């Protein structure tokens, strides 16, 4: 995105979305501004009252203020002009850049493939759609799945990159990455990212209460975190690491199913298994 014009608190921002990506608008405490966007090219889809609405070139969307969370999906490469009566560009563009750079750097330091976070996000969104999450849950899942390991930036490299099994003391430090992630997102002081931070902190909790950092169980764990727990485990099992070769996808599906109701939320496992053919061909 790029800032085209600004004055008297109003900003005109150009956006370009790649095919398959999404963009969200939602209410925020203290926000009373007008938000408007006009489609230049491409196609956006969003849900309203149970119906799928299509926005094509020449069409627009606005709210003053936005009262409900709305997610727009790019059916193809889409360009639009976004106008807001309150300034947001510099804060959000810099914040997004910083957070994404942090996450990519963690991927590289932790030995995962570069597309690990994107893959977790894509798997999570498939499961969220299968479970018919509401719009706000979907928006939170989109960000929390991508930023789930953000807190590893605060874990010492000698622990993060250790090629052998961690000691008990080192493992206790590693487990802190969930709380570190929440703290980093809270530091933005953006209400929605604070909500995302709660999910990030919970993504290693277990359905039976034996996870970390707080030992939450069952429905004490947000559904978004329960989804990330399953897809992150699956990706970890099927990814080759320095110290072990990944399992086959078939073996990983079997292990996820065997831990249904103990490590993983039963409804999430059922939805994930339902997507088996899609994920095997991803």
């Amino acid at each position: 995105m790029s800032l085209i014009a600004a004055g008297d608190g109003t900003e005109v921002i150009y956006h370009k979305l790649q095919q398959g990506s999404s963009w969200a608008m939602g209410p925020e405490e203290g926000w009373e501004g007008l938000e408007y966007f006009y489609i230049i090219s491409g196609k956006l889809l969003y849900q309203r009252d149970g119906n799928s609405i299509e926005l094509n070139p020449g069409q627009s969307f606005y709210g003053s203020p936005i009262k409900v969370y709305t997610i727009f999906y790019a059916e193809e490469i889409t360009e639009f002009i976004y106008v807001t009566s309150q300034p947001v560009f510099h804060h959000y563009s810099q914040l997004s850049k910083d957070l994404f750079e942090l996450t990519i750097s963690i991927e590289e330091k932790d030995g995962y493939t570069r597309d690990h976070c994107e893959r977790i996000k894509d798997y999570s969104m498939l499961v969220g759609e299968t479970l018919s999450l509401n719009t706000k849950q979907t928006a939170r899942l989109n960000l929390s799945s991508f930023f789930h390991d953000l807190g590893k930036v605060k874990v010492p490299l000698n622990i993060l990159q250790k090629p052998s099994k961690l000691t008990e003391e080192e493992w206790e430090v590693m487990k802190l990455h969930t709380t570190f992630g929440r703290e980093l997102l809270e530091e933005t002081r953006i209400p929605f990212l604070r909500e995302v931070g709660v999910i990030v902190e919970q993504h290693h909790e277990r359905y039976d209460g034996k996870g970390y950092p707080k030992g939450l169980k069952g429905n004490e764990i947000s559904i978004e975190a329960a989804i990330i727990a399953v897809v992150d485990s699956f990706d970890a099992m099927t990814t080759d690491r320095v110290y072990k070769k990944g399992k086959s996808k078939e073996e990983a599906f079997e292990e996820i199913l065997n831990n249904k109701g103990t490590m993983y939320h039963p409804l999430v496992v059922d939805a994930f298994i339902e997507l088996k053919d899609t994920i095997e061909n991803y």
Side-chain angles (χ1 to χ4, degrees), residues 17-37:
L17 294 178
Q18 297 301 312
Q19 182 178 7
S21 60
S22 59
W23 187 71
M25 301 173 74
E28 188 170 314
E29 186 177 350
W31 180 273
E32 298 296 333
L34 166 72
E35 293 183 80
Y36 166 91
F37 67 85

Side-chain angles (χ1 to χ4, degrees), residues 38 69 135 144 168-169 180 197 208 241 260-261 265 267:
Y38 174 89
Y69 280 93
T135 306
S144 58
E168 186 174 333
E169 293 77 15
F180 291 155
D208 60 8
R241 305 299 293 272
K260 173 182 173 180
H265 193 303
L267 292 179

